[in-house]
Amino acid sequence: MADYKLLNYADDNGRARPGLAVGDDVIDLQSAVEVYEGKGASAGFSPATTLSVLEDWDAAEPVLEAIAEAGYGAVRPLDGTKLMAPLLFPNAIFNAAANYSDHRAEMGNPPEVDKTTVKPYFFLKSPAHTVIGPGDEVRIPHVTQQVDWEVELGVVIGRYGRNLTQANARSIVAGYTIFNDLSARDLGRREDWQQFRSDWFGQKSFECSAPTGPWIVPAKQIADPYACKLDLWVNDDHMQDAVAGQMIFNIEEQIEYLSARMTLRPGDLIATGTPSGVGRPRGIFLQPGDTVRLTIGGIGELSNPIVKGE
């Protein structure tokens, strides 16, 4: 079986088209499905968007494998092709907070968690307002002077799931991507709302605060997601260095918690938390002219330039 990645790329008019990265090429998915069905088979899913592919992941996955193996469809070189966020847009982005002990410690919290009494903690980001793709500019809004970085393993859901257990939780995972949970640290507290104080919306859900990509790597191509190495650089400075296995609540525990409260849907994205190495403890924040670059082993690289926004 040829390895592939599910992605969105910009066509000659700048419009998003779903595709597969196979080796050094990008295969246009819609034309590939036309060739596949022209041979007498039914694809069983819509190739219109990556979200529609995930909606019928059980039907789509073997077809994507066949397309990658045979090289069906229009092909263009990966080098020089503009990639976009692999999901335009996730149904929901569930963000795990304080999910690495070393990050908890650097933010001034007790590093250890008693998992017999403490459950995962999540906040939401608004997908259509926050998601950007590889190479897209992060436009720092004028309301913040302290935008911080957070490399995270993104878990992409490909099947409906409710009341899952840790034993079957990963059965609904279609694949993995890279996620940068940008955070406006100076907007995390509200002195004007003493009864609430913490402002997760202000800190986490601002324009361009969810760089994602460069693609979705199918789960079967990553045998052990906990072995994935997470790294982040700001310009040439290596800021974060960890492995996903260091997370406190693992992927199964996060899915169990979320699916007990709502049905997880194809196209949902779970950002599983960040390790130590963020800027706030050192008083360092992203500035116009910076470039933030993330890598996750087995997935690839996500890089974005920082510019002044409005």
Side-chain angles (χ1 to χ4, degrees):
M1 182 190 76
D3 286 348
Y4 68 92
K5 293 96 171 175
L6 180 63
L7 54 79
N8 282 309
Y9 74 93
D11 67 12
D12 295 337
N13 296 310
R15 294 188 293 258
R17 289 185 66 88
L20 302 181
V22 181
D24 295 328
D25 296 320
V26 171
I27 297 173
D28 180 77
L29 187 56
Q30 294 185 59
S31 66
V33 168
E34 289 176 4
V35 174
Y36 179 85
E37 293 190 326
K39 296 181 178 296
S42 174
F45 69 97
S46 167
T49 66
T50 53
L51 184 57
S52 69
V53 174
L54 291 168
E55 281 279 359
D56 289 297
W57 185 245
D58 285 332
E61 189 172 24
V63 177
L64 301 184
E65 292 171 358
I67 289 170
E69 187 68 33
Y72 296 145
V75 175
R76 60 173 64 200
L78 178 59
D79 185 27
T81 295
K82 166 62 178 171
L83 301 186
M84 306 175 78
L87 280 174
L88 295 169
F89 293 93
N91 294 316
I93 304 175
F94 303 100
N95 297 77
N99 198 36
Y100 284 72
S101 295
D102 55 359
H103 177 56
R104 288 176 57 87
E106 73 175 352
M107 299 298 278
N109 300 306
E112 302 305 321
V113 172
D114 182 358
K115 291 169 64 173
T116 64
T117 59
V118 177
K119 303 301 180 185
Y121 189 100
F122 286 93
F123 59 90
L124 295 169
K125 288 201 177 199
S126 175
H129 300 85
T130 61
V131 168
I132 60 174
D136 291 344
E137 293 178 341
V138 173
R139 301 185 300 274
I140 296 179
H142 72 277
V143 294
T144 176
Q145 302 299 314
Q146 296 184 1
V147 173
D148 206 346
W149 55 85
E150 296 187 7
V151 60
E152 307 199 10
L153 177 66
V155 176
V156 180
I157 302 302
R159 299 174 182 90
Y160 290 87
R162 183 70 196 272
N163 292 321
L164 297 164
T165 67
Q166 293 178 45
N168 63 7
R170 274 168 58 189
S171 67
I172 68 168
V173 174
Y176 303 96
T177 191
I178 304 174
F179 187 84
N180 190 356
D181 175 22
L182 295 176
S183 307
R185 300 298 189 193
D186 48 352
L187 302 181
R189 304 288 284 178
R190 290 288 297 268
E191 299 303 327
D192 56 336
W193 287 87
Q194 293 292 317
Q195 66 269 47
F196 298 130
R197 299 296 297 276
S198 294
D199 187 356
W200 286 98
F201 170 77
Q203 180 180 187
K204 296 289 191 174
S205 205
F206 54 92
E207 194 165 287
C208 304
S209 63
T212 308
W215 40 51
I216 298 166
V217 177
K220 65 170 56 175
Q221 294 178 29
I222 298 182
D224 182 7
Y226 301 113
C228 289
K229 181 80 159 47
L230 283 67
D231 291 277
L232 181 146
W233 290 261
V234 177
N235 303 320
D236 295 326
D237 296 323
H238 193 186
M239 297 298 195
Q240 291 186 275
D241 181 350
V243 293
Q246 294 172 255
M247 64 179 71
I248 297 169
F249 294 100
N250 63 27
I251 295 165
E252 291 88 343
E253 290 168 319
Q254 293 183 45
I255 290 175
E256 180 182 58
Y257 177 88
L258 290 168
S259 71
R261 287 151 178 80
M262 63 186 72
T263 301
L264 292 178
R265 301 169 59 87
D268 287 345
L269 176 63
I270 303 173
T272 55
T274 199
S276 65
V278 300
R280 193 183 86 169
R282 292 171 281 184
I284 303 171
F285 302 102
L286 294 172
Q287 302 296 325
D290 288 342
T291 297
V292 60
R293 181 168 64 92
L294 296 70
T295 64
I296 295 184
I299 300 177
E301 176 177 312
L302 174 67
S303 181
N304 298 92
I306 311 300
V307 302
K308 180 178 174 60
E310 298 177 352

